[in-house]
Amino acid sequence: MSTNTVPGGESRPEVDDLEGENEWTQLAHKHWPKPAKMRKVHPDIIKKEIWDVLQNEGFQYRSLLILENLQLLENYLLPGYTETSTNYHVLLITLIATVKNRENLRVWDIFSNDGEQFSSIFRRVLSMSLDSSLLVVVKTHILSFLIGAFQSLDNGLIRRECAPLVSISIWQNLTSEAARERIFEHHPQLKKAWRAAGKRYHSSDESTQAKLRFDRAWLYSLLLDFIGRLQESGTENMVYCERFLEFLTDLESQLPTRRYVTTLIKDLNLLALIRLSSVLSGKENGLFRDLFVLLRHFVNFPIDDNTGTQHTKVQSYEEHCTQLARLQRAALKNFKEKLTILALSNYAAIDKRAELEVLLEPLSTAELAELSDLLGYRTTYPPSVKVEVGRELLLEVLLSSHERRRTFRESMGDLSILPTEAALYEPTLLRNEHYNGSRSLAIPKLNLQYLSVGDFLWRSFILYRCESFFEIRKNMEETIKRLQPQQTQLPNSVRFDGFSRMAIPISKPAIIEAAPPRVGQDRPAVVRAEIGLDVSRLAESVRREWESLRQDDVIYLLAVDPVDSSRDLTNGHAIHASSRDFGLRHLRAAEVEQVLDDDGRVIRDIPDRETNGYVRRPRLRRLILKLDTTAWKLDMERKAEGKPDVYESLNVVVRRKGRENNFKKTLETIRSLALSDVPVPDWLQEVFLGYGDPTSANYTNLPNSLDQLDFRDTFLDWPHLVESLADQAVEPKSAHGPDIKPPFVLEGITTTSTGPTRPSKKRRRDDSEVSQSGRKFIKVSTYQPPNNGPFTTDAPKINKVRFTSTQVEAIMSGTQPGLTVIVGPPGTGKTDVATQIINNIYHDFPSQRTLLIAHSNQALNQLFQKITKLDIDERHLLRLGHGEEDLDTDVSYSKHGRVESFLDNRDHYLAEVNRLAADLGAPGAHGNSCETAGYFNSVYIIPAWSKFWDTANAAEVSTLDVTTSFPFHQYFSNAPQPLFPPGASKEQTLGIARGCQRHMERIFTELEDIRPFEILRTSRDKANYLLIKEARIIAMTSTHAAIRRQEIADLGFHYDNVIMEEAAQITEIENFVPLALQNPKDGQLPLQRVVLCGDHLQNSPIVQNLAFRHFANLEQSLFLRFVRLGVPTINLDHQGRARPSIADLYKWRYPKLENLPNVLTEQEYLRANAGFRYEYQFIDVPDYKSMGESQPTPHYFQNLGEAEYSVAIYQYMRLLGYPASRISILTMYAGQMALIRDVLGHRCAKNRLFRLPRIVTTVDKYQGEQNDYIILSLVRTSRVGYLRDIRRLTVALSRARLGLYVLGRRSVFETCYELREAFAKLFQRPNQLLLTTGEMFPASRNLGDDAEATEMAGVEHLGQYVFEMTKAKVESLKARGKPLPAIEETPELLRMDVVDEDEGEGMVGETMEEEEEEGQGEDIDGIA
């Protein structure tokens, strides 16, 4: 059994710890063996048997984890809590809740059943946070609890308790009444709030007043306690101070909590006190210094705390000048003799720290104190704090308040986007790598709310840069490890004994150009270099990978030294503080400009030169590179100082896989958005930032909502319309009878809100009650759809999906302007809803353009393929990005494919023009070009139609006359005949004629659209014209949008609507970029609709690093944040994917989820699975060959027993006739995926009886997919691992339609509190696989029928069973004289013990090696 450790070195609890005989397990079995609503708790047990033990061992995290897993909080502490419970009881609640937060588990829901109980607990925690008698480590845990609370203000319980602690009442603690009055002068409305708070206090009873006094003094007291600790020493004190800075940063990073807190922090001169503290100056306290810088950033963020408006650069400078003017006036008035120069200097001369310090030097300490008093700065503190207000502090306060600070935009501009070895090994980044929750981190968090769009972009830039550099460093260290550098006998010479397909040893680069700097810059405009690649020894596939490098791809030039083999390596990278410790002396990034062959030609699919049947093997490839000019400048400066030339020592070039290496363009996109201040649409801004009414962006609250809409084919018939709008009063307009048919136009579907944008809570509640009790009256009208022409291709494509009422609600909302958030549980048809929304927008708003976004190419292609089947002209569809080639469509929808399609259509339509001209006898070359065709249309076609309609519209003209006068009988002779059916009425005949005219008009309209493609010469110009002018529905992945944003926006691309599929799987910055993919018009983005489709209860965005995932919350999506903020969501509630019994396995996550009729009535859902007793089953897999889970390398989890079992089930199903394409094998870890593929390769790949299943992959990669039968391997046998994140289990259980067979260790998962609901139904059935005999696929037995079953005792039993079945089948085929399938080494392939333990590890290592070379071989416990 492997040892699992957290980065801090403490081992994590395993199943044996939760079931064995250790003291905590015995205590749990004795005092809280099972859940209970109420429980009697003995204080002695709390104190002596739990608290004292924890305290004596220093509150080891492993013990806390064991207690949390044993459900101490849920089954003992909370059921036993009363007002008389001891403080130790409350502290234990705090500790376990903190552990849950640290493990990223939902903790606050546990308290939701009893608000009064939680309030009592929380108030006691607040009181203990001020208790000076508590140990510092205990107070640190309390602070962590409070940090978690203030990060969860979307929870009503938390918000109710936390809001009073940061209200305006805390201004009672400001240094003087005058300090408050100065604020009220600038913001008079705050005075009203201040008076209201005072009135509320004086009108309260004595107990309420005591509570209010505590609330307003709590934060002030906490701050004073922290100030007192700034001069203390000790590790525990340092950890507390770090946590406190994190707490203050969290308060400052959200407007509701910073609004009044910032004033208190500035009043206490907290930043100046920290800067002068001994804690900050300690050499080993780098984390504290970084946290101070982060806090200072947020305290000084340029925003109006009252209105939430971010200051512009001009406003910030004006405010700075106002501060300097106050200083100069005070100096001139009170210290004229000593500060005359300061008073008369210009602002630029006194806003730098050094100059201002010199100017203030003449003042004595008393005079500095007097000046500070005059300017309103605090100069006295309570005696208990022991702050010495001396010259140093007074001077620091004055200097820090009046020096000019760099803006966050300027700081972003200075940060390097391309890495160097120094950037990759910054201490801040190294701390992020080894994060385990025990210490804070100096990185920003993604919160529920942001101060401004610029603040959001700044945080995203910092985090994305950190994550990118983390990944790059991992790749570089892994590559160096594989290369195995060794010292040679020659000085400064390195030999590489290993190999990596991602790296090639090189000689030093040749610098071929260093262009002079551009105007206003101090670094070269461009630095070009050339390197030679020896590709003679590379396999062809690897060589082609190097040759496929594209322009602007980032590669890495390394100076590598030999590595001391005695150093500790873990999973391809070492825990070191320096790049040199790993052999990386220097790293410089460069961008590819050209890839040249042996003869110096640019490689563009150059065919291999063949001579007498022999293909000459290439020996050399040359790369022309653009070096990082910033790093070049610094390197040249160091060289000028006599230091070694970095570029002389570079000896390796490394590349990364394309999808992992888009960081540069993405970072440039984020930075350019922040620097250009691209706005969010006005109607979306408050909701995006997290303020105001969360319903304000809904169409019902927007002034431009539409009261009438054409829903075309959304409704199949009148009953469908009525049942879909059952809550509304629906009736046809008077002009239509009761037999009204679609298409339907609905009127009265919305009422524009005329009230205030942000009404009071009471008003919103009252309005809600009114809207729920009242019913809207919707009038329905219809119309005759126009006849589009006589050809079958002219007939429109009609929707056949009978949408449910909630799907209709989503379609109606998505068709309206505003924000629509659609929550789509598994199988509820959110993709069908999205396509119908697109269809409605396309037809109802022909001038608007829609952008489709998805996280993966697979999801985007699924959506796009459905769109191509709608009644949408293919010339208006465009698919951008490299995933287009995977589209399962007859035509290409890429830019160049669309251009070719336009040109092909041109030839077709011009041929039609020539045919028309011949029919009309019109002389001339009318079909030569689009221009001549347009001339032909205006001269011949339009007059001919005008003459016809003059005749046809005459009252006395008969149907026969209309038919006779029709001028295009000959042209339409190839249409279905007769063109005008005998007996047709005049109106019907005229309708057919109008259809013919529309058909011809479409030809000339499309030729007019194609005309620019005749004029434009280059394919690039044609493709760009297509994007910005012709395409109306443009699809791309979120990654493509991020890396191409500037290029697309610079083309003048504009769009009106954004629809995102998989929105809950996209990181927040990737959600944002598609909203800003165009440049503003008149200072505003012209977005009208944003539709987000997703499911926040399934997988979140994948972020590998634990620090970024849990601490910084980088896995947060905009979709999830909107849900947490209370933005209205439409929850689809009928699934049509899985059997009802399988859907019940995850229905507890979706309480309102029902089944569509198809899964209740169709035969495939009613029949049993052939050969299986149950349609789903959990199979308990014991140790195989005395081993459960294993880790060939850290975090690379495998389980040979489950791998063999899953393959044996697959073989069994194939022998019964199950199609391989209908079976998928899923697992939780990439290591297990590799192992299963190995076993399949040995058992099935070369055997036509089996072959390979449709897919073997991880659950993470399979989200959004489905198959009829799923075999699921959970892998872990020591502990639950990241499956404790219930979202992953939800995905895993919801992929199967007809059969689900889960392989795992029951003892591991049945003890997990979070998973109890999910596994309850699985564990109701036997733990051993039950098979039925005498059945072949498909089964004739119904699901509920009884059947005799054979129990499989284990993997060996099933393996033998499959072997005998295979043998019998082979003999049967022979007996019937049928040709045998090709079976190589049949006995060995089918024996379950073909892979013994040693061989298995060898194979796994080999497969893992390949996977890791591809960048897929590592699991960071939670990422597969």
Side-chain angles (χ1 to χ4, degrees), residues 169-212:
S169 299
I170 65 174
W171 283 4
Q172 192 74 37
N173 305 290
L174 296 185
T175 183
S176 65
E177 185 72 26
R180 282 193 297 272
E181 290 301 325
R182 278 193 296 271
I183 300 172
F184 295 152
E185 287 177 8
H186 292 91
H187 301 289
Q189 67 274 24
L190 291 179
K191 193 165 189 176
K192 182 178 179 181
W194 173 255
R195 288 173 176 170
K199 184 177 180 181
R200 185 167 60 253
Y201 174 79
H202 292 297
S203 62
S204 301
D205 57 34
E206 188 173 340
S207 61
T208 305
Q209 284 185 347
K211 178 181 180 299
L212 293 174

Side-chain angles (χ1 to χ4, degrees), residues 348-551:
I350 62 173
D351 66 355
K352 298 178 181 62
R353 174 175 283 263
E355 286 84 346
L356 186 57
E357 186 174 5
V358 171
L359 293 173
L360 291 174
E361 188 65 32
L363 296 183
S364 65
T365 302
E367 289 171 329
L368 283 173
E370 182 183 354
L371 178 59
S372 298
D373 278 329
L374 291 169
L375 294 173
Y377 299 117
R378 179 188 286 267
T379 56
T380 60
Y381 292 85
S384 60
V385 182
K386 299 179 181 178
V387 172
E388 180 183 352
V389 184
R391 181 180 185 85
E392 188 179 19
L393 176 58
L394 294 170
L395 201 56
E396 176 59 34
V397 169
L398 291 170
L399 295 177
S400 59
S401 300
H402 295 92
E403 66 178 339
R404 186 174 184 182
R405 293 181 288 268
R406 293 172 55 79
T407 67
F408 72 93
R409 290 191 177 93
E410 291 171 336
S411 300
M412 284 179 68
D414 290 344
L415 286 174
S416 64
I417 287 179
L418 292 174
T420 64
E421 77 283 355
L424 293 183
Y425 286 86
E426 287 179 358
T428 301
L429 288 180
L430 295 177
R431 284 195 294 266
N432 296 339
E433 179 177 354
H434 308 310
Y435 171 77
N436 65 353
S438 61
R439 302 283 288 265
S440 297
L441 290 177
I443 54 177
K445 300 177 183 178
L446 298 185
N447 296 334
L448 273 176
Q449 300 164 323
Y450 301 107
L451 301 179
S452 66
V453 175
D455 171 45
F456 162 72
L457 291 169
W458 177 82
R459 298 190 208 191
S460 299
F461 178 84
I462 297 298
L463 292 175
Y464 193 92
R465 178 178 179 270
C466 287
E467 189 200 20
S468 299
F469 283 14
F470 164 77
E471 294 294 333
I472 291 169
R473 180 161 50 82
K474 275 205 322 178
N475 289 156
M476 297 304 110
E477 292 178 351
E478 173 65 26
T479 299
I480 294 173
K481 175 191 173 185
R482 290 178 181 277
L483 289 175
Q484 301 176 23
Q486 304 293 333
Q487 185 68 55
T488 66
Q489 295 180 351
L490 299 175
N492 300 322
S493 178
V494 180
R495 182 184 74 252
F496 296 97
D497 292 344
F499 170 76
S500 171
R501 67 190 304 153
M502 310 305 287
I504 296 178
I506 60 171
S507 57
K508 67 179 182 179
I511 308 300
I512 57 179
E513 181 186 7
R518 294 188 178 93
V519 176
Q521 295 184 346
D522 59 354
R523 63 179 187 272
V526 65
V527 178
R528 288 187 174 86
E530 179 182 314
I531 60 173
L533 305 181
D534 181 2
V535 298
S536 60
R537 299 171 58 192
L538 298 181
E540 182 180 1
S541 60
V542 178
R543 173 176 60 81
R544 292 194 180 277
E545 289 175 5
W546 282 96
E547 292 175 346
S548 65
L549 286 171
R550 294 171 295 175
Q551 187 175 5

Side-chain angles (χ1 to χ4, degrees), residues 881-893:
H882 292 284
E884 188 276 335
E885 56 267 19
D886 297 327
L887 268 176
D888 186 17
T889 54
D890 296 332
V891 296
S892 172
Y893 289 95

Side-chain angles (χ1 to χ4, degrees), residues 716-733:
L716 303 187
D717 48 44
W718 177 257
H720 182 206
L721 171 64
V722 173
E723 69 188 33
S724 298
L725 303 177
D727 295 337
Q728 314 299 333
V730 181
E731 57 183 41
K733 294 185 74 171

